[in-house]
Amino acid sequence: MELRFSFIFALSLFLKIFLVLSAEEAVGYDSRFLLTSNVTSGVIHSAGYCAMYGLCGARSDGKPLNCPYNRPAVKPDELFSSKIQSLCPTLTGNVCCTEAQFEILRSQVQQAVTFLVGCPACLRNFLNLMCELGCSPDQSLFINVTSIKKSGNNLTVDGIDFFVNDAFGEGLYNSCKDVKYGAMNSLAIDYVGAGAQNFTAWFAFLGKRAPPMVPGSPFAISFRGSVPESSGMIPMNDTTYSCGDVSLGCSCGDCPSSATCSGSVGPPQKEGSCKIRIGALKAKCIDVAVAIAYIIIVSVFLGWGFSHRKKEIRKISGTKPSVKVASSQERDAENQKDENLPYPIPEGSTGTPGVKLSAVQGYMSNFYRNYGSWVAKRPSLVLFPSIVIALLLCLGLLHFKVETRPEKLWVAPGSRAQKEKQFFDSHLAPFYRIEQLILATMPDEAGKSQSILNEDNVKLLFQIQKKVDGIRARYTGSTVSLTDICMKPLGQDCATQSVLQYYKMDPENFEENGVDHAVYCYQHFSSDVECLSAFKGPLDPSTALGGYSGNNYSEASSFVVTYPVNNAVDRESDEAKKAVAWERAFIDLAQNELLPMVQSRNLTLAFSSESSIEDELKRESTADAITIVISYLVMFAYISLTLGDRPRLSSFYLLSKVLLGLSGVVLVMLSVLGSVGFFSAIGVKSTLIIMEVIPFLVLAVGVDNMCILVHAVKRQELELPLEVRIGNALSEVGPSITLASLSEVLAFAVGSIIPMPAIRVFSMFAALAVLLDFLLQVTAFVALIVFDILRVEDNRIDCFPCIKIPSSANGEHGIGQKKDMKDGILARYMKEIQAPVLSLWGVKIIVISVFTALTLASIALCTRIEPGLEQQLVLPRDSYLQGYFNNITEYLRIGPPLYFVVKNYNYSSESRQTNQLCSISQCDSNSLLTEISKASLIPESSYIAKPAASWLDDFLVWLSPEAFGCCRKFTNGSFCPPADQPPCCAPGQTLCSLDGLCKDCTTCFLHLDLINDRPSTLQFREKLPWFLNALPSADCSKGGHGAYTHSVDLQGYENGVIQASEFRTYHTPLNKQVDYVNSMKAAYKFASKVSESLQMEIFPYSVFYVFFEQYLDIWKTALITLAVAIGMVFLVCWGITCSLWSSLITLLVLAMILIDLMGVMAILNIQLNAISVVNLVMSVGIAVEFCVHITHAFLTNAGDKNQRMKAALGTMGASVFSGITMTKLVGVIVLRFSRSKVFVVYYFQMYLALVLLGFLHGLVFLPVVLSLFGPPSRCIENQGEQQKPSSSTST
């Protein structure tokens, strides 16, 4: 919405030009020369004869009336003749108007000149029409007086027929129909012709008799195309000039059909996706490519599988006896191995017996074995320092702050949109604050909404307005009202956008004029002074109404009331804080008073203020605190159960691990708080995403490590000393835990290079939190495991370790008891059911085929993911903004303002940049404003709704000699305002004298003073401030004050360069997030092409760009972040394991999990934004846990690939399933009941999909891939290797 603060009388006023004459001139005119339709005798219709001349009376409202007059035209004197030809060059010789009449003609015509002067052909045609009507010496040939009435003692004209050839009318209309009126982003015909669609409608508008006290013609004029037979009359048929006439050339913006309008940049074309037609089926290219790829991959795999299977069968049949023996031995070894899964590790060994580890793994295994033994001997020395260090990091929480400002969360510092916003705000003016009400009717049973416009609803709107005007907000001891903060373009009245403006915001005017006046103003808002707003500007009904189609404003189902409020660059300024205080009082009024009032009338009310979103986001941050707490409690309960042994009533109080589980959860929270505390201490603000996501992430990773550690200790022989058991357990699982954690830390740390603040800060916090969690797991939690073993061995009750029970029947129980593990349901399921099933060839083929299909289908689905974040999702479900955003989509018919900002515009006469920007006569055919106008013709691809409002066009018109009522000067050279403004005319005076203070004012320039109708550098520099301070009025609607006050930065303009100026238009209605993104893309692309074409620096700006810039490159950001994350995982795995093949398999599975997760996003219509990207990055960390432990166990087990796969599932499958899958699953399910939809969509749905996909890929697909394509075993086959491993540990 942008406002124009001028008005124009209906163009019927032009018809007064021949009515105004002094009373002395009227005396003596003979009424016998009267022409009427009833009296034809003696009437002369001949060249050189007038039809009307002089003034004979006036209407009741004072409007003067013409004399019917059938006498020869009068010869003017030489001076008068030169004046006539300056305006009407086709009139030579005698005329049918006096000099006084001509001056009135001149002053009235200037109202139209300011609208049409940009297209000389249109202006010339229009002036010819007015000149022929007012002063033509052949008036009687085409004008016939059809009605007269008596005024006093004289007869006056009451109606005429004006015969105009259709060819002239058509030519006139065609030359003017595309002429732009920049200040209102609309067509000039909307103002000078009430939006006429053809010349007959335009003529009908011009000929309408004006009601009393309304400007316009005092009598009716009927425009006719053909004359009566034998009347002797001839229709007026002056030559018309085409807008494409090179001698009177119009700009391409005003005349798109001109032959010179070629070679332009052209509007952006809408990008379409590649599609292939197969018969009647039309499919996307990506879908066809994926289908072909799937067929090829599955065919190759099946071919390889059958070939490989035949070779195995042939090999087995050739060595059948030995195989039987080997199988028997393997079964014995397998059974033995089941007793001691995975394998015990002797104390003091430099590596795993029978396993050839990489140098890094060997070092880590040896380190963890020695470290575990040391911790087992000194648990307190490890526990307390680690806790103290974590608590010290938490002290940084004293400086904890949460960043809630959207521009600080989603906008990268130094980003293009951020820089352009700062430039716009500092050089022009910050975009105003918007407070809005939407009052709408309820749909009927058929779902159709009724019209909102009726007497009761308008009265209700006045009541609402009265309450809004009565708001008095408190700020620092003073009160703040709407008038204190609202935008006042002309310094008097608020520029409120409401249908009440058609009544001047006065209920008495409504009582007097009724509802019909609003309906009338819908069509005449720009052409009738009675429809002007209280702030003296026309109100476009599209800004105050909603829920209509096309221009059918009468069917509108909603009133849209907008209060523009002044904004400030500094959010901490008094101006901004006053506005915020009033806005909160406004919302309180709307919720507590206006909403019940409206609902009682069976209407709906939606409302919003500039600060509403930020306030509601803060409320949303606490709305789901209970849900999150419950989720953590459920996960804690499950952790406590899964860490303990199989529950037995007789020993549950001893063998449960509630205290250990609680301690583990506390360690996870300490790692999160330590990370937040550290970054808070160094001045990095937290975000809501961090508080909502990282605890789940770290808990998932931490619980997995806890389960693996506890289960590894349980697998140790009870006969071994405690320090040996702890050392062996850490040596067994420590490398894989380190590998997984280090991969996660580096994957997140790399995300800190992403410029988007929300993702960068999340990555930093997550990396440190995971690192602290890992360190606390291998220090404090290992020490806690030692204490728990000592508690069990000392028969102390869980949760109450101070209570000791008798040792009868409980001495055998402990954390390392193997038979409990053998009887574990998950372990048995993995060994006895899942592993054997996955070993079957048929199952392997199905698994590979299905998972390949899922991945390829997900690749195709990924292309359907839309960028954005629906605002309704991030708000609480009970937020008043939910209804507001729904109403915005449903009712609004105009989009956000769009500004094209030009930097360093060189206006000097030596530069061509003026003509490269403007869109009036003699401007370049590919000028900026012309290209914007062309783009507005295809809004579906350009997202530009209207031509741009141009201060430059209006300034050049304002300067031109043709607009003689605009740029004027006193004899001393100072600025002289238009004749209808003070001091030339007293305020409130309707008819202004031409002999007043401004009688000696002259136009600023003659044509000879200009260079090709363009001002010189000095003229431009001197007159631009005049233009920007000039008030618009009827005599000159081109005044720049109000419309262009902040459109030009005058700082330093004296050197011939304007640092910043803007040209305003509008986007089309943007209903979806993808519309905002695409409109921004289109604007950037358009500006880039025009900048390149004109060799000027031009950029587009709209208030939402700074928030949506992230989505222009969100795919690039996401793909780079994820690629780097999984790349770091690959490098870490390769560096630690020295197994390229296993690292590639891990990389493959991670990539498939991510791709499948994005496929699920497409199916669930989850958009790509900072939240989903953070979730995808987080999924890398969690997916690593599903893959690394299984792969590491596969590498370090003996046997063929099937046996090693079974062993890996048997040892690590249960820990992975219980540690990640089930823990995360029970916590995520609770989020389904969240009050905030963003939790349901981005946390419940995405986390649930991640957990299920991670489980399926890590415990189904990965084992199958390893059994088929896994790397060689690290085990060394030696004599006696199949002996019971525990015998080697007896030393």
Coordinates of all heavy atoms in Angstrom, one line a residue, residues 954-1004:
D954 N 7.1 12.1 -12.8 CA 6.3 13.2 -12.3 C 7.1 14.5 -12.1 O 6.5 15.6 -12.4 CB 5.6 12.8 -10.9 CG 4.5 11.8 -11.1 OD1 4.2 11.5 -12.2 OD2 3.9 11.4 -10.0
F955 N 8.3 14.3 -11.8 CA 9.2 15.5 -11.7 C 9.4 16.2 -13.1 O 9.3 17.4 -13.2 CB 10.5 15.2 -11.1 CG 11.5 16.3 -11.0 CD1 11.2 17.5 -10.5 CD2 12.8 16.1 -11.6 CE1 12.1 18.5 -10.4 CE2 13.7 17.1 -11.6 CZ 13.4 18.4 -11.0
L956 N 9.6 15.3 -14.1 CA 9.8 15.9 -15.4 C 8.6 16.5 -16.0 O 8.6 17.5 -16.6 CB 10.3 14.8 -16.3 CG 11.7 14.2 -16.0 CD1 12.1 13.0 -17.0 CD2 12.8 15.3 -16.0
V957 N 7.4 15.9 -15.7 CA 6.1 16.5 -16.1 C 5.9 17.8 -15.3 O 5.4 18.8 -15.9 CB 5.0 15.5 -15.8 CG1 3.6 16.1 -16.0 CG2 5.1 14.3 -16.8
W958 N 6.2 17.7 -14.0 CA 6.0 18.9 -13.2 C 6.8 20.1 -13.7 O 6.4 21.3 -13.6 CB 6.4 18.6 -11.7 CG 6.2 19.6 -10.7 CD1 5.0 19.9 -10.0 CD2 7.1 20.5 -10.2 NE1 5.2 20.9 -9.1 CE2 6.5 21.3 -9.2 CE3 8.5 20.7 -10.5 CZ2 7.2 22.3 -8.5 CZ3 9.2 21.7 -9.8 CH2 8.5 22.5 -8.8
L959 N 8.0 19.8 -14.2 CA 8.9 20.8 -14.8 C 8.4 21.4 -16.1 O 8.7 22.5 -16.5 CB 10.3 20.3 -14.9 CG 11.2 20.3 -13.7 CD1 12.5 19.6 -14.1 CD2 11.5 21.7 -13.2
S960 N 7.7 20.5 -16.9 CA 7.5 20.8 -18.3 C 6.6 22.1 -18.5 O 5.7 22.3 -17.7 CB 6.9 19.6 -19.0 OG 5.6 19.4 -18.5
P961 N 6.9 22.8 -19.5 CA 6.0 24.0 -19.7 C 4.6 23.7 -20.0 O 3.7 24.5 -19.7 CB 6.7 24.6 -21.0 CG 8.1 24.1 -21.0 CD 8.0 22.7 -20.4
E962 N 4.3 22.5 -20.5 CA 2.9 22.1 -20.7 C 2.1 22.1 -19.4 O 0.9 22.4 -19.3 CB 2.8 20.7 -21.4 CG 3.1 20.8 -22.9 CD 4.6 20.6 -23.1 OE1 5.4 20.6 -22.1 OE2 5.0 20.5 -24.3
A963 N 2.8 21.6 -18.3 CA 2.1 21.6 -17.0 C 2.3 23.0 -16.3 O 2.9 23.1 -15.3 CB 2.7 20.5 -16.1
F964 N 1.7 24.0 -17.0 CA 1.9 25.4 -16.6 C 1.4 25.7 -15.2 O 1.7 26.8 -14.7 CB 1.3 26.3 -17.6 CG 0.0 25.8 -18.2 CD1 -1.2 26.0 -17.5 CD2 -0.1 25.2 -19.4 CE1 -2.4 25.5 -18.0 CE2 -1.3 24.7 -20.0 CZ -2.4 24.9 -19.2
G965 N 0.6 24.8 -14.6 CA 0.1 25.2 -13.3 C 1.0 24.6 -12.2 O 0.6 24.7 -11.0
C966 N 2.0 23.9 -12.5 CA 2.9 23.2 -11.5 C 4.1 24.0 -11.1 O 4.1 24.6 -10.1 CB 3.2 21.8 -12.1 SG 1.8 20.7 -12.2
C967 N 5.1 23.9 -11.9 CA 6.4 24.6 -11.6 C 6.2 26.0 -12.0 O 6.3 26.4 -13.2 CB 7.6 23.9 -12.3 SG 9.2 24.6 -11.8
R968 N 6.0 26.9 -10.9 CA 5.8 28.3 -11.2 C 6.8 29.1 -10.2 O 7.2 28.6 -9.2 CB 4.4 28.7 -10.9 CG 3.4 27.9 -11.7 CD 2.0 28.6 -11.8 NE 1.5 29.0 -10.5 CZ 0.5 29.9 -10.4 NH1 0.0 30.5 -11.4 NH2 0.1 30.2 -9.2
K969 N 7.0 30.3 -10.6 CA 7.9 31.1 -9.8 C 7.4 32.6 -9.8 O 6.7 33.0 -10.7 CB 9.3 31.1 -10.3 CG 9.4 31.6 -11.8 CD 10.9 31.5 -12.3 CE 10.9 31.9 -13.8 NZ 12.3 31.8 -14.3
F970 N 7.7 33.2 -8.6 CA 7.4 34.6 -8.5 C 8.4 35.4 -9.3 O 9.4 34.9 -9.8 CB 7.4 35.0 -7.0 CG 6.2 34.5 -6.2 CD1 6.4 33.5 -5.3 CD2 5.0 35.1 -6.4 CE1 5.4 33.1 -4.5 CE2 3.9 34.6 -5.6 CZ 4.1 33.6 -4.7
T971 N 8.1 36.7 -9.4 CA 9.1 37.5 -10.1 C 10.5 37.5 -9.5 O 11.4 37.8 -10.2 CB 8.5 38.9 -10.2 OG1 8.2 39.4 -8.9 CG2 7.2 39.0 -11.1
N972 N 10.5 37.3 -8.2 CA 11.8 37.3 -7.5 C 12.5 35.9 -7.6 O 13.6 35.7 -7.1 CB 11.7 37.7 -6.1 CG 10.8 36.7 -5.3 OD1 10.4 35.7 -5.8 ND2 10.6 37.0 -4.0
G973 N 11.9 35.0 -8.4 CA 12.5 33.7 -8.6 C 12.2 32.6 -7.6 O 12.7 31.5 -7.8
S974 N 11.5 32.9 -6.5 CA 11.1 32.0 -5.5 C 9.9 31.1 -6.0 O 9.2 31.5 -6.9 CB 10.8 32.6 -4.2 OG 9.7 33.5 -4.3
F975 N 9.7 30.0 -5.3 CA 8.7 29.1 -5.7 C 7.3 29.7 -5.5 O 6.9 30.2 -4.5 CB 8.8 27.8 -4.9 CG 7.6 26.8 -5.1 CD1 7.5 26.2 -6.4 CD2 6.7 26.5 -4.1 CE1 6.5 25.3 -6.6 CE2 5.7 25.6 -4.4 CZ 5.6 25.0 -5.6
C976 N 6.4 29.5 -6.6 CA 5.1 30.0 -6.5 C 4.2 28.7 -6.6 O 4.2 28.0 -7.6 CB 4.8 30.9 -7.7 SG 3.0 31.4 -7.8
P977 N 3.3 28.5 -5.6 CA 2.5 27.3 -5.6 C 1.4 27.4 -6.7 O 1.2 28.5 -7.3 CB 1.9 27.3 -4.2 CG 1.9 28.7 -3.8 CD 3.1 29.3 -4.4
P978 N 0.7 26.3 -6.9 CA -0.4 26.3 -7.9 C -1.5 27.4 -7.5 O -1.6 27.7 -6.3 CB -1.0 24.9 -7.8 CG 0.2 24.1 -7.4 CD 1.0 24.9 -6.5
A979 N -2.3 27.8 -8.4 CA -3.2 28.9 -8.2 C -4.3 28.5 -7.2 O -5.0 29.5 -6.7 CB -3.9 29.3 -9.5
D980 N -4.5 27.3 -6.9 CA -5.6 26.9 -5.9 C -5.0 26.6 -4.6 O -5.7 26.0 -3.7 CB -6.4 25.7 -6.5 CG -5.5 24.5 -6.7 OD1 -4.3 24.6 -6.6 OD2 -6.1 23.4 -6.9
Q981 N -3.8 27.0 -4.3 CA -3.2 26.8 -3.0 C -2.8 28.1 -2.4 O -2.5 29.1 -3.1 CB -1.9 25.9 -3.1 CG -2.2 24.5 -3.6 CD -0.9 23.6 -3.6 OE1 0.0 23.9 -2.9 NE2 -0.9 22.6 -4.4
P982 N -2.8 28.2 -1.0 CA -2.3 29.4 -0.4 C -0.8 29.6 -0.7 O -0.1 28.7 -0.9 CB -2.4 29.1 1.1 CG -3.4 27.9 1.2 CD -3.2 27.2 -0.1
P983 N -0.4 30.9 -0.9 CA -1.1 32.1 -0.6 C -1.9 32.6 -1.9 O -2.5 33.6 -1.8 CB 0.0 33.1 -0.3 CG 1.1 32.6 -1.1 CD 1.0 31.1 -1.2
C984 N -1.9 31.8 -3.0 CA -2.6 32.2 -4.2 C -4.1 32.1 -4.0 O -4.8 32.9 -4.6 CB -2.2 31.3 -5.3 SG -0.4 31.3 -5.6
C985 N -4.5 31.2 -3.2 CA -6.0 31.0 -2.9 C -6.2 30.8 -1.5 O -5.5 30.0 -0.9 CB -6.5 29.9 -3.8 SG -8.3 29.7 -3.7
A986 N -7.2 31.4 -0.9 CA -7.4 31.2 0.6 C -7.9 29.8 0.8 O -8.6 29.2 0.0 CB -8.5 32.2 1.0
P987 N -7.5 29.2 2.0 CA -8.0 27.9 2.3 C -9.5 27.8 2.3 O -10.2 28.6 2.9 CB -7.4 27.7 3.7 CG -6.2 28.6 3.8 CD -6.6 29.8 3.0
G988 N -10.0 26.7 1.7 CA -11.5 26.5 1.7 C -12.2 27.2 0.6 O -13.4 27.0 0.4
Q989 N -11.5 28.1 -0.1 CA -12.1 28.9 -1.2 C -12.3 28.0 -2.4 O -11.3 27.3 -2.9 CB -11.3 30.1 -1.6 CG -12.0 31.0 -2.5 CD -11.2 32.3 -2.7 OE1 -10.3 32.6 -1.9 NE2 -11.5 33.0 -3.8
T990 N -13.5 27.9 -3.0 CA -13.8 27.1 -4.2 C -13.3 27.7 -5.5 O -12.5 27.0 -6.2 CB -15.3 26.7 -4.3 OG1 -15.7 26.2 -3.0 CG2 -15.6 25.7 -5.4
L991 N -13.7 28.9 -5.7 CA -13.3 29.6 -6.9 C -12.2 30.6 -6.6 O -12.5 31.5 -5.8 CB -14.5 30.2 -7.6 CG -15.6 29.3 -8.1 CD1 -16.7 30.1 -8.7 CD2 -15.0 28.3 -9.2
C992 N -11.1 30.5 -7.1 CA -10.0 31.4 -6.8 C -9.8 32.5 -7.8 O -9.9 32.2 -9.0 CB -8.7 30.6 -6.6 SG -8.8 29.3 -5.3
S993 N -9.5 33.6 -7.4 CA -9.3 34.8 -8.3 C -8.0 34.6 -9.0 O -7.0 34.2 -8.4 CB -9.4 36.1 -7.5 OG -9.0 37.1 -8.3
L994 N -8.0 35.1 -10.2 CA -6.7 35.1 -11.0 C -5.9 36.4 -10.8 O -4.9 36.5 -11.4 CB -7.0 34.8 -12.5 CG -7.7 33.5 -12.9 CD1 -8.0 33.5 -14.4 CD2 -6.9 32.3 -12.4
D995 N -6.5 37.3 -10.0 CA -5.9 38.6 -9.9 C -5.3 38.7 -8.5 O -5.1 39.8 -8.0 CB -6.9 39.7 -10.1 CG -7.4 39.7 -11.5 OD1 -6.6 39.3 -12.4 OD2 -8.6 40.0 -11.7
G996 N -5.0 37.6 -7.8 CA -4.5 37.7 -6.4 C -3.0 37.9 -6.3 O -2.4 38.4 -7.2
L997 N -2.5 37.4 -5.2 CA -1.1 37.5 -4.9 C -0.2 36.9 -6.0 O 0.9 37.3 -6.2 CB -0.8 36.9 -3.6 CG 0.6 37.0 -3.0 CD1 1.0 38.5 -2.8 CD2 0.8 36.3 -1.7
C998 N -0.7 35.8 -6.6 CA 0.1 35.1 -7.6 C -0.2 35.4 -9.0 O 0.2 34.6 -9.9 CB -0.1 33.6 -7.3 SG 0.2 33.0 -5.7
K999 N -0.8 36.6 -9.3 CA -1.1 36.9 -10.6 C 0.1 37.0 -11.6 O 0.0 36.8 -12.8 CB -2.0 38.2 -10.7 CG -1.2 39.4 -10.2 CD -2.0 40.7 -10.3 CE -1.3 41.9 -9.8 NZ -2.1 43.1 -9.9
D1000 N 1.2 37.4 -11.0 CA 2.4 37.6 -11.8 C 3.3 36.3 -11.9 O 4.4 36.4 -12.5 CB 3.2 38.8 -11.3 CG 2.5 40.1 -11.4 OD1 1.7 40.2 -12.3 OD2 2.7 40.9 -10.5
C1001 N 2.9 35.2 -11.3 CA 3.7 34.0 -11.4 C 3.7 33.5 -12.8 O 2.8 33.5 -13.6 CB 3.1 32.9 -10.5 SG 3.2 33.3 -8.7
T1002 N 4.9 33.0 -13.2 CA 5.1 32.4 -14.5 C 5.7 31.0 -14.4 O 6.2 30.6 -13.3 CB 6.1 33.3 -15.3 OG1 7.3 33.3 -14.6 CG2 5.6 34.7 -15.5
T1003 N 5.5 30.3 -15.5 CA 6.1 28.9 -15.4 C 7.6 29.0 -15.3 O 8.3 30.0 -15.7 CB 5.8 28.2 -16.7 OG1 6.3 28.9 -17.8 CG2 4.3 28.0 -16.9
C1004 N 8.2 27.9 -14.7 CA 9.6 27.9 -14.4 C 10.4 28.0 -15.7 O 11.5 28.7 -15.7 CB 10.0 26.7 -13.6 SG 9.3 26.6 -12.0

